[in-house]
Amino acid sequence: MARRAVPSSRGPAALGPYSPAVWTGEMLYLSGQTPVDPSTGRLVEGDVGVQTIRAFANLELVLEDAGLTMDDVIKCNVYLTDMADFPAMNQAYGSCFSAPYPARTTVAVAGLPLGASVEIELIARKS
């Protein structure tokens, strides 16, 4: 199956040569989003909870541009620069979804673009 890119004029500009999301069949793979404010191109200020909410807001913009919602998300990967931030990320994460929750993986990484504390990527499926 060929991949079909989803442009997103409302989300943050890509920091490299990649698409905000790509369709393959009924599956939508969203590139990782950091907590960048789309209007300024800068990282939002605040703790990992604030950053998690912004990253999800960015992902939601891309989902909407593809005609989907957060209810269509089936898998989420979260990258944290410090696992001590897990409880705050987890609390913010819980406010972004309703049950039944998507599958999730959370891993620690050495660093993220622009010095972000969190980056999140999603996989969604067209109903």
Side-chain angles (χ1 to χ4, degrees), residues 99-124:
Y101 299 102
R104 181 179 80 187
T105 300
T106 304
V107 297
V109 295
L112 292 168
L114 305 175
S117 296
V118 62
E119 181 172 353
I120 304 167
E121 65 178 311
L122 302 176
I123 300 171

Side-chain angles (χ1 to χ4, degrees), residues 9-121:
S9 60
R10 299 179 307 143
L15 299 175
Y18 60 88
S19 299
V22 173
W23 282 107
T24 180
E26 294 190 357
M27 302 295 291
L28 182 67
Y29 295 84
L30 286 84
S31 295
Q33 288 284 339
T34 55
V36 171
D37 181 333
S39 65
T40 66
R42 299 184 146 191
L43 196 67
V44 297
E45 293 186 23
D47 65 11
V48 75
V50 170
Q51 289 194 17
T52 298
I53 295 298
R54 180 72 254 175
F56 273 118
N58 292 343
L59 289 160
E60 195 163 14
L61 291 172
V62 178
L63 280 168
E64 290 171 358
D65 287 341
L68 301 180
T69 70
M70 294 294 275
D71 290 335
D72 297 305
V73 174
I74 58 173
K75 177 73 166 89
C76 182
N77 293 326
V78 178
Y79 305 95
L80 293 172
T81 57
D82 186 345
M83 285 306 275
D85 288 335
F86 183 88
M89 177 282 298
N90 199 47
Q91 183 174 2
Y93 179 99
S95 71
C96 296
F97 291 105
S98 57
Y101 299 102
R104 181 179 80 187
T105 300
T106 304
V107 297
V109 295
L112 292 168
L114 305 175
S117 296
V118 62
E119 181 172 353
I120 304 167
E121 65 178 311

